[in-house]
Amino acid sequence: MSSTTRITVTLPSDQVAKLRKLTDNVSGSVAEAVARQIRHQLLGDDLRRHEEEHGPLGDEEIAEARAKIFGSVGSTGMGAA
């Protein structure tokens, strides 16, 4: 496990109340949300850099990426069993 640093964060009271209803591990949930945001930002940066160098992604490239992420071409990840 990686090292941790204790910080103070200010959140809207209603979000804290909802979060506490969902989990006993508020720190873990916040850490997961921060990790998702970091990944999202890094992927967005990579996509922008790629498109600046190679132009916009085509439909075939997008379909290939979806297949890698969701497991099959044409899968939307929505309601598939």
Side-chain angles (χ1 to χ4, degrees), residues 21-79:
K21 286 181 181 180
L22 294 173
T23 183
D24 292 331
N25 186 357
V26 172
S27 291
S29 293
V30 171
E32 287 175 16
V34 169
R36 271 192 308 274
Q37 180 62 33
I38 290 169
R39 284 192 306 272
H40 180 79
Q41 183 69 43
L42 292 174
L43 285 170
D45 292 347
D46 286 346
L47 178 59
R48 276 187 290 284
R49 202 170 17 261
H50 176 83
E51 288 187 333
E52 286 172 3
E53 292 178 22
H54 305 285
L57 294 174
D59 292 341
E60 187 174 313
E61 292 168 306
I62 293 171
E64 183 180 334
R66 283 190 176 130
K68 288 180 180 179
I69 293 168
F70 298 114
S72 65
V73 176
S75 173
T76 62
M78 304 282 282

